[in-house]
Amino acid sequence: MRGDGPVLVALTGLVQRAFLLGKMIPEDLERQISLAEAEGAVPFLVSATSGTTVLGAFDPLEAIADVCQRRGLWLHVDAAWGGSVLLSQTHRHLLDGIQRADSVAWNPHKLLTAGLQCSALLLRDTTNLLKRCHGSQASYLFQQDKFYDVALDTGDKAVQCGRRVDCLKLWLMWKAQGGQGLERRVNQAFALARYLAEEMKKREGFELVMEPEFVNVCFWFVPPSLRGKQESLDYSERLAKVAPVLKERMVKEGSMMIGYQPHGTRGNFFRLIVANPALTQADMDFLLNELERLGQDL
Ligand SMILES: *Cc1c(COP(=O)(O)O)cnc(C)c1O
C-alpha cells in the first residue's frame, strides 16, 4: 500500500479540481470502480452528465466511455440540459463521445424551449429492452394480429399506459424551425451567456464563479459594502446572504427571476440561464443594471 501514497495525493488534488469544475475525472472513476469491487459491490452503470444543472459542466465522455468499455459497464449520459448542444455545429464538440453511450436522456423542453414536458430517452439497445422490462402483454390491449408491423406500437414499452404524444411537439418545432433554426437558438444562448460574462468582468459588483462553459452564468453580486473586503473573515458568510435578498427584491418588484443556490463550500450565488430565443443584449444590460439598482444599498 505504501506505493499508493503519491497516487493518493495526486488523486486528492484531482478530486478537488473535479469538485470545483463540477466534472467527473476518468482516472478517479476507474479507481472508484475498483474500490467498489474490492468491497464486494458489482458496479454496472456509469451515469455521466452533459451540462450539469448548476455549473453547466460537461463530463469528458470519450475517456469515460473508454473506462466503461474496459470494465464492461453500461454508459448512461444525462444530457437533459446539455443534449440540445448537439444541434450546434460550433459547440457540439462538448459532447464528443456521446455516440458511444448505451443510453442518453435529453430534455428538449429545456434549452430548445419545447412546451413542458418533452423528454427523450435514447437507447442503443436493439433487443426491445423497454418492452422486455415494462411490457405487460395485456390481452385486451395492443393486439399482435394487426395488418401492420406491430413493432411500431410503442404503448407497451413504458410503465404507464395512457400518455400524451410529447414527441409531436418536438417534431412540429423541428419542422417549423428547421435544424438551422434550432441551431441558431443554441448558438444565440451561448453568445448571450458569453456577452454577460464579459460585461460582468467590466463591472465592479460582479464576480464570476467560473468561466461559463455552457449557458449557465454563475456569479456573485458583490454589493458596495463588501467590495474590496475579500480578506475579511466573514466575507463569504455575508456574501451568501446577498442573493436571497436580491431575489426577494426582484420578485417583489416583478422585474426578473434569477435562481441562486450554494454549491459545496461556495455560498449562495446566482445561476443565470439565458435560453429564451427572444432575449437580446439589451435585456442582458437591463438585467445587470437592475441587479446594481436593487443591490446599491447593500
Ligand atoms: C433538468 C435535469 C434533470 C431532470 O430532468 P427531468 O426530466 O425533469 O426529470 C436531470 N438532469 C439534469 C442534468 C437536468 O438539468
Side-chain angles (χ1 to χ4, degrees), residues 24-88:
M24 202 185 287
I25 293 181
E27 303 90 298
D28 189 48
L29 170 65
E30 187 123 43
R31 194 184 129 77
Q32 295 300 334
I33 293 166
S34 299
L35 279 177
E37 283 172 348
E39 287 168 3
V42 184
F44 66 95
L45 175 144
V46 172
S47 184
T49 307
S50 291
T52 57
T53 305
V54 175
L55 299 177
F58 286 78
D59 282 335
L61 298 180
E62 289 284 10
I64 293 170
D66 288 342
V67 174
C68 291
Q69 203 171 334
R70 265 199 301 280
R71 300 299 193 113
L73 300 177
W74 181 284
L75 173 58
H76 174 71
V77 179
D78 176 351
W81 176 217
S84 301
V85 174
L86 283 172
L87 289 154
S88 162

Side-chain angles (χ1 to χ4, degrees), residues 203-206 219-227 238-239 241-251 253 255-256 258 270 286-298:
R203 299 186 186 221
E204 211 186 350
F206 293 86
F219 69 95
W220 286 281
F221 178 76
V222 185
S225 68
L226 282 178
R227 290 179 198 162
R238 285 169 67 196
L239 186 60
K241 295 193 174 127
V242 174
V245 173
L246 281 177
K247 172 94 187 210
E248 178 182 347
R249 289 181 179 181
M250 66 178 84
V251 169
E253 193 91 3
S255 56
M256 309 193 294
I258 310 174
F270 283 115
F286 169 82
L287 189 147
L288 297 169
N289 293 337
E290 181 70 354
L291 278 168
E292 283 177 346
R293 187 180 73 83
L294 294 172
Q296 64 192 347
D297 63 329
L298 293 178

Side-chain angles (χ1 to χ4, degrees), residues 26-282:
E27 303 90 298
D28 189 48
L29 170 65
E30 187 123 43
R31 194 184 129 77
Q32 295 300 334
I33 293 166
S34 299
L35 279 177
E37 283 172 348
E39 287 168 3
V42 184
F44 66 95
L45 175 144
V46 172
S47 184
T49 307
S50 291
T52 57
T53 305
V54 175
L55 299 177
F58 286 78
D59 282 335
L61 298 180
E62 289 284 10
I64 293 170
D66 288 342
V67 174
C68 291
Q69 203 171 334
R70 265 199 301 280
R71 300 299 193 113
L73 300 177
W74 181 284
L75 173 58
H76 174 71
V77 179
D78 176 351
W81 176 217
S84 301
V85 174
L86 283 172
L87 289 154
S88 162
Q89 298 300 322
T90 313
H91 301 290
R92 61 183 306 164
H93 62 89
L94 290 169
L95 294 103
D96 280 352
I98 196 167
Q99 72 282 0
R100 297 170 67 188
D102 295 290
S103 56
V104 172
W106 171 41
N107 283 356
H109 68 230
K110 291 190 169 169
L111 191 51
L112 293 186
T113 67
L116 261 177
Q117 71 188 48
C118 184
S119 306
L121 174 67
L122 308 171
L123 286 176
R124 171 182 300 285
D125 170 76
T126 53
T127 68
N128 227 350
L129 186 62
L130 293 181
K131 200 153 184 173
R132 288 193 287 130
C133 289
H134 304 307
S136 49
Q137 283 114 43
S139 60
Y140 55 94
L141 288 170
F142 313 126
Q143 267 58 51
Q144 300 301 298
D145 50 359
K146 287 188 222 159
F147 66 92
Y148 58 83
D149 179 4
V150 294
L152 296 170
D153 290 342
T154 57
D156 210 18
K157 281 186 178 174
V159 181
Q160 314 96 312
C161 189
R163 61 180 10 74
R164 295 171 307 183
V165 193
D166 285 318
C167 62
L168 184 64
K169 289 180 286 196
L170 176 59
W171 187 83
L172 282 172
M173 183 177 69
W174 212 322
K175 276 285 183 195
Q177 297 286 324
Q180 286 182 344
L182 296 183
E183 175 174 24
R184 262 198 306 279
R185 282 190 190 180
V186 175
N187 287 345
Q188 193 198 337
F190 270 91
L192 286 181
R194 177 48 41 200
Y195 176 76
L196 269 172
E198 294 308 322
E199 287 302 302
M200 283 181 187
K201 287 178 200 168
K202 294 179 195 160
R203 299 186 186 221
E204 211 186 350
F206 293 86
E207 193 186 328
L208 286 168
V209 173
M210 60 170 64
E211 278 298 325
E213 182 177 18
F214 189 19
V215 298
N216 304 38
V217 181
C218 296
F219 69 95
W220 286 281
F221 178 76
V222 185
S225 68
L226 282 178
R227 290 179 198 162
K229 305 258 169 69
Q230 278 84 342
E231 305 305 321
S232 323
L233 285 177
D234 61 350
Y235 178 79
S236 305
E237 198 184 318
R238 285 169 67 196
L239 186 60
K241 295 193 174 127
V242 174
V245 173
L246 281 177
K247 172 94 187 210
E248 178 182 347
R249 289 181 179 181
M250 66 178 84
V251 169
K252 287 184 171 164
E253 193 91 3
S255 56
M256 309 193 294
M257 285 274 272
I258 310 174
Y260 69 85
Q261 67 289 299
H263 186 258
T265 53
R266 295 165 170 134
N268 285 325
F269 56 86
F270 283 115
R271 172 181 52 131
L272 186 49
I273 304 285
V274 186
N276 182 342
L279 292 174
T280 64
Q281 284 192 358

